[in-house]
Amino acid sequence: MITSTLRRVLLVAKHASFQSRCCVASSRVQYSTVYDSNEKTFDKILIANRGEIACRVMKTCKKMGIKTVAVHSDVDASAVHVKMADEAVCVGPAPTNKSYLNMDAIMDAIRKTGSQAVHPGYGFLSENKEFAKRLAAEDVVFIGPDTHAIHAMGDKIESKLLAKAANVNVIPGFDGVVEATRVILCSGGGGKGMRIAWNDDETREGFRLSSQEAASSFGDDRLLIEKFVDNPRHIEIQVLADKHGNALWLNERECSIQRRNQKVVEEAPSTFLDPETRRAMGEQAVQLAKAVHYSSAGTVEFLVDSNKNFYFLEMNTRLQVEHPITECITGLDLVQQMIRVAKGFPLLHKQEDIPINGWAIESRVYAEDPYKSFGLPSIGRLSQYQEPINLPKVRVDSGIQEGSDISIYYDPMISKLVTYGATRAEALQRMEAALDNYVIRGVTHNIPLLREIITHPRFISGDITTNFLPEEYPEGFKGHQLTSEGRRELVATAAALYVSAQLRSQRFLGNLRVSTTPQEQRQWELCVELEKGSHTVAVSRSGSTFTCSNEMTLWPPWQVEVDGVTVEVSGEWNLASALLPVTINRTPRVLQCLSRDAGGDITLQYLGTQFKVRVLSQLVSTLSAHMPEKVPEDTSSILRSPMPGSVVAVSVKPGDVVAEGQEICVIEAMKMQNSLIAAKAAKVKSVHCKAGETVGEGDLLVQLE
């Protein structure tokens, strides 16, 4: 007879063995899904979500032998999660309130497909107690906690009171609903509806915008007020509990790198926590989970000050966006654990079984313009898309593919890029390589910001808070700032690329197009323009160039003299490829050629940032100096939309006199409201938008005299 203790030991060993095999076999996955054929769960699960999280849940379901059902809006009919599922049901048009939040349509899809359980993912209906009640009424299992826990933790006022009763550290504040303009959201999450107020005027403004965002995103405009903890870290504890009274904490995740209270880069474990603080936070998280009889995967979020004092922030009663990094360091498949718990099985592990193996980092790759408030949404079609999953220990959770559309209707996340290593330094090095090898065309993306963050000396040292971005980039993000050496590297690479393209155009199937062409040129005198600067460049080479049938050009090292300094550039470049792996002065680099034309204009992605370079012959450079320059637009007299979205309110009309800094209109994008203000005091000449209209990036909204 096998005792329960021995059975647990055998299962733990089985998990550990499978994890090691999994990590060797695939660079895409760093967690194990151990399927026990004797452990019957569900035959069919409907995933009430879209995009990457729907795909993530389906992957585990397939490993467990469970059929999956996708729901989708009409614009998502060809989405990846729809293609991945065994069945798919359209639940309405594009707006979320008519599709992914349409409970009636989703309940009809459940009945139609005979689904036994529903996994809600995150967002949408994942923390909606009414949805969970409707499922229970029809004997459909909600893969998540019960309605009591959802309600208790979903209401920030009630959750704070429960946390205090469970002896969990809480932030001092007003224990009740804020009835007047006195601010923090009572329902919801994801950083929406939160405002910091330093004075009475900011409090009134914050109350207005926060309540509007709350009503729009969550249907609940109640607010609460708490003391603002200055310069904190945002550290959360992953918990896992079953229906038999067992609960575990699965270590922490550091989520301090944020913009607009939304996470950008996460890692596990945290560089800041010592074992004692980690244990104390974990134990308090479990105390809270047990206090509300929690059963599923959940996350307890804390603010931690510089003295390692920690305070309860909120509990998310769902699978968290950043759950992959916990899977990497523990080896557990959290989706599988949620499914097992929902079926009623007890946890397989004890607290002492939960390891911290290695280090994992997650970068949230968004279709956003990082140069606008650290990331305003971008829309468009992915004309070219290539994930860096060929690299070792890189995981990409995505729900898009080449040709997918990023629309105004949904979150602009492209993917979650995760790297894993034995040490933090190794994980960071892999993240740097993964970002350089990630090809995204057709939309503006935030890879420039992500790469600057993970290579920043302060981030590398672990000295971070939630104020990292505004502190390090007080004037806004400007991209990678070139050093004199980096400038020479970029200029030399652009010159070598230009000459290579010129030589390639002279050949056909590896031979010169015209047999009588004089001997190939060995030296080129060029002028390279970069960031309003001009560089005299001499390019030379020795040996012969060879062009393969796959369009790859092989050449000996280029000797490029930039302003009197010689730079050696070598590599095997496929000029038709987006990636340009080169070696510059014996340092390997991966650049991307985003565009180039016959006029010498080249756009290169170098160290994450896009740079526009112009390579000209000395003659053309001399003549171009006589070309007239285009006069830039006077942006102080016009207001253009900085992002695609919908107009919520217009506060002015023609003839009104506005003061500098006065609100002109409010644009909502991805459920976030943005107040647009006047750049100067002036009279309103014309208004080109009205409430309810959809606008695109750069559309003219208001013109001033």
Side-chain angles (χ1 to χ4, degrees):
M1 178 179 179
I2 299 178
T3 65
S4 59
T5 302
L6 179 57
R7 180 176 180 271
R8 178 170 59 83
V9 170
L10 290 173
L11 284 169
V12 170
K14 184 177 180 182
H15 273 264
S17 174
F18 188 92
Q19 181 193 7
S20 63
R21 294 197 304 272
C22 180
C23 291
V24 171
S26 173
S27 65
R28 303 188 188 191
V29 181
Q30 297 297 333
Y31 59 90
S32 63
T33 305
V34 180
Y35 173 56
D36 184 351
S37 58
N38 295 319
E39 195 174 76
K40 181 68 174 177
T41 55
F42 304 101
D43 296 321
K44 185 183 292 185
I45 292 176
L46 181 142
I47 294 90
N49 217 297
R50 66 179 298 279
E52 67 86 12
I53 190 58
C55 295
R56 164 69 190 90
V57 173
M58 289 177 191
K59 289 175 184 176
T60 289
C61 287
K62 289 182 182 298
K63 291 177 182 177
M64 297 177 70
I66 301 170
K67 292 185 179 300
T68 57
V69 178
V71 294
H72 64 89
S73 64
D74 52 8
V75 298
D76 272 346
S78 299
V80 174
H81 77 280
V82 174
K83 297 175 181 178
M84 186 179 291
D86 296 295
E87 300 175 60
V89 179
C90 182
V91 289
T96 55
N97 64 331
K98 297 179 180 180
S99 52
Y100 296 103
L101 291 175
N102 186 344
M103 281 190 259
D104 290 337
I106 292 175
M107 293 303 299
D108 286 342
I110 293 168
R111 299 185 197 102
K112 177 181 177 181
T113 59
S115 300
Q116 300 165 314
V118 172
H119 196 300
Y122 56 74
F124 294 137
L125 298 172
S126 63
E127 295 176 283
N128 189 304
K129 63 181 182 295
E130 296 304 321
F131 182 56
K133 283 181 181 178
R134 291 186 63 172
L135 291 175
E138 299 201 19
D139 293 325
V140 177
V141 176
F142 179 75
I143 301 177
D146 61 24
T147 55
H148 166 70
I150 295 174
H151 172 76
M153 292 295 101
D155 187 298
K156 287 180 168 50
I157 296 174
E158 185 173 343
S159 66
K160 183 176 179 180
L161 296 174
L162 284 168
K164 288 178 71 173
N167 295 318
V168 175
N169 303 343
V170 298
I171 303 172
F174 177 73
D175 294 335
V177 179
V178 181
E179 300 293 347
T181 57
R182 289 199 284 164
V183 169
I184 290 177
L185 198 56
C186 292
S187 300
K192 296 181 176 69
M194 296 176 66
R195 293 290 189 282
I196 300 169
W198 298 101
N199 53 49
D200 290 348
D201 290 340
E202 289 185 3
T203 302
R204 295 186 187 95
E205 181 72 359
F207 182 91
R208 180 177 68 87
L209 292 174
S210 291
S211 58
Q212 288 174 358
E213 284 181 7
S216 173
S217 298
F218 312 109
D220 185 349
D221 62 358
R222 294 176 303 145
L223 302 175
L224 63 85
I225 188 167
E226 289 181 331
K227 172 186 176 181
F228 175 62
V229 181
D230 202 9
N231 290 316
R233 286 174 179 259
H234 185 138
I235 300 177
E236 61 191 27
I237 301 292
Q238 176 71 56
V239 295
L240 181 64
D242 62 22
K243 302 177 187 295
H244 305 276
N246 304 306
L248 307 172
W249 50 275
L250 307 182
N251 303 308
E252 79 280 4
R253 295 186 288 256
E254 173 76 70
C255 306
S256 297
I257 304 298
Q258 303 180 2
R259 52 98 175 91
R260 299 191 302 277
N261 299 309
Q262 292 182 307
K263 301 160 189 172
V264 180
V265 176
E266 303 102 342
E267 61 182 306
S270 168
T271 61
F272 189 62
L273 297 191
D274 53 59
E276 292 74 23
T277 308
R278 176 179 294 115
R279 185 181 306 108
M281 293 176 69
E283 289 174 352
Q284 287 199 16
V286 166
Q287 286 169 208
L288 181 60
K290 288 186 174 181
V292 294
H293 306 291
Y294 196 85
S295 59
S296 192
T299 299
V300 181
E301 300 190 350
F302 293 94
L303 290 182
V304 185
D305 67 19
S306 58
N307 296 315
K308 292 188 172 68
N309 298 310
F310 57 91
Y311 307 95
F312 169 73
L313 183 61
E314 66 177 346
M315 183 176 188
N316 292 313
T317 57
R318 53 170 167 78
L319 190 64
Q320 202 80 327
V321 175
E322 58 273 18
H323 75 275
I325 54 178
T326 295
E327 294 181 326
C328 286
I329 67 167
T330 63
L332 297 178
D333 182 335
L334 294 183
V335 174
Q336 181 197 24
Q337 299 302 317
M338 293 179 74
I339 294 171
R340 291 187 69 260
V341 167
K343 186 62 177 178
F345 291 108
L347 299 181
L348 293 172
H349 302 83
K350 300 294 183 183
Q351 190 61 57
E352 59 268 23
D353 301 329
I354 306 304
I356 297 181
N357 289 329
W359 214 283
I361 298 172
E362 175 180 288
S363 293
R364 298 193 187 189
V365 181
Y366 282 103
E368 290 182 340
D369 186 346
Y371 302 98
K372 297 178 180 178
S373 301
F374 299 110
L376 293 183
S378 169
I379 61 172
R381 176 165 294 176
L382 292 168
S383 57
Q384 192 173 4
Y385 183 72
Q386 180 179 316
E387 296 174 348
I389 53 177
N390 59 304
L391 302 179
K393 295 188 178 178
V394 171
R395 168 177 167 178
V396 182
D397 282 17
S398 67
I400 49 90
Q401 61 187 0
E402 193 165 289
S404 293
D405 287 315
I406 306 295
S407 74
I408 64 171
Y409 298 107
Y410 312 116
D411 187 90
M413 180 183 285
I414 293 174
S415 74
K416 300 180 306 195
L417 176 62
V418 181
T419 57
Y420 174 79
T423 63
R424 186 171 186 260
E426 188 177 306
L428 281 172
Q429 187 178 35
R430 288 187 170 133
M431 180 60 73
E432 188 176 339
L435 290 169
D436 285 342
N437 283 271
Y438 207 144
V439 178
I440 303 172
R441 304 283 189 274
V443 297
T444 304
H445 55 77
N446 68 333
I447 282 180
L449 176 62
L450 295 173
R451 198 185 190 284
E452 285 299 295
I453 291 172
I454 61 111
T455 57
H456 196 289
R458 182 176 161 190
F459 180 83
I460 292 172
S461 71
D463 177 23
I464 58 175
T465 71
T466 54
N467 292 324
F468 176 87
L469 288 178
E471 287 175 355
E472 294 303 320
Y473 309 100
E475 303 300 321
F477 180 67
K478 306 297 183 183
H480 179 73
Q481 301 302 299
L482 291 171
T483 62
S484 56
E485 181 182 2
R487 192 177 185 86
R488 284 193 297 270
E489 283 191 5
L490 183 56
V491 167
T493 304
L497 175 63
Y498 173 83
V499 172
S500 173
Q502 294 294 311
L503 291 177
R504 180 186 171 205
S505 66
Q506 298 173 6
R507 293 178 172 271
F508 179 75
L509 296 179
N511 299 311
L512 290 174
R513 291 179 180 271
V514 182
S515 59
T516 58
T517 300
Q519 187 176 4
E520 287 187 60
Q521 189 174 346
R522 296 288 179 175
Q523 189 162 341
W524 296 260
E525 300 293 332
L526 304 172
C527 179
V528 180
E529 298 173 1
L530 170 64
E531 293 183 333
K532 298 181 180 180
S534 182
H535 301 266
T536 300
V537 175
V539 182
S540 61
R541 67 185 178 95
S542 59
S544 300
T545 300
F546 176 73
T547 304
C548 304
S549 58
N550 63 356
E551 303 298 319
M552 182 177 292
T553 304
L554 309 178
W555 60 73
W558 297 99
Q559 303 296 322
V560 185
E561 187 177 292
V562 182
D563 298 333
V565 179
T566 300
V567 180
E568 184 179 274
V569 182
S570 63
E572 299 177 359
W573 291 359
N574 181 347
L575 297 180
S577 171
L579 296 177
L580 297 175
V582 298
T583 300
I584 307 173
N585 286 340
R586 300 181 183 275
T587 300
R589 302 273 191 209
V590 176
L591 285 74
Q592 296 188 30
C593 182
L594 307 182
S595 66
R596 59 184 176 87
D597 61 29
D601 289 319
I602 303 173
T603 302
L604 291 174
Q605 182 172 304
Y606 170 73
L607 302 181
T609 296
Q610 296 182 16
F611 293 93
K612 292 185 177 181
V613 184
R614 173 172 287 183
V615 184
L616 305 172
S617 68
Q618 291 288 359
L619 175 61
V620 173
S621 175
T622 301
L623 295 175
S624 66
H626 300 287
M627 297 293 289
E629 292 188 8
K630 182 180 179 181
V631 178
E633 183 179 45
D634 179 12
T635 57
S636 65
S637 299
I638 58 173
L639 180 67
R640 295 186 181 276
S641 178
M643 77 212 84
S646 59
V647 181
V648 175
V650 180
S651 307
V652 298
K653 62 182 183 298
D656 286 353
V657 176
V658 296
E660 181 180 353
Q662 180 179 332
E663 180 179 285
I664 292 182
C665 62
V666 177
I667 303 294
E668 182 177 284
M670 311 299 179
K671 299 298 182 183
M672 297 289 286
Q673 295 197 357
N674 303 271
S675 177
L676 306 184
I677 61 175
K680 65 178 183 179
K683 181 184 285 188
V684 177
K685 182 178 181 180
S686 57
V687 177
H688 300 269
C689 63
K690 59 183 179 181
E693 284 186 343
T694 298
V695 295
E697 181 180 355
D699 284 0
L700 180 63
L701 303 176
V702 175
Q703 190 169 7
L704 305 177
E705 292 185 353

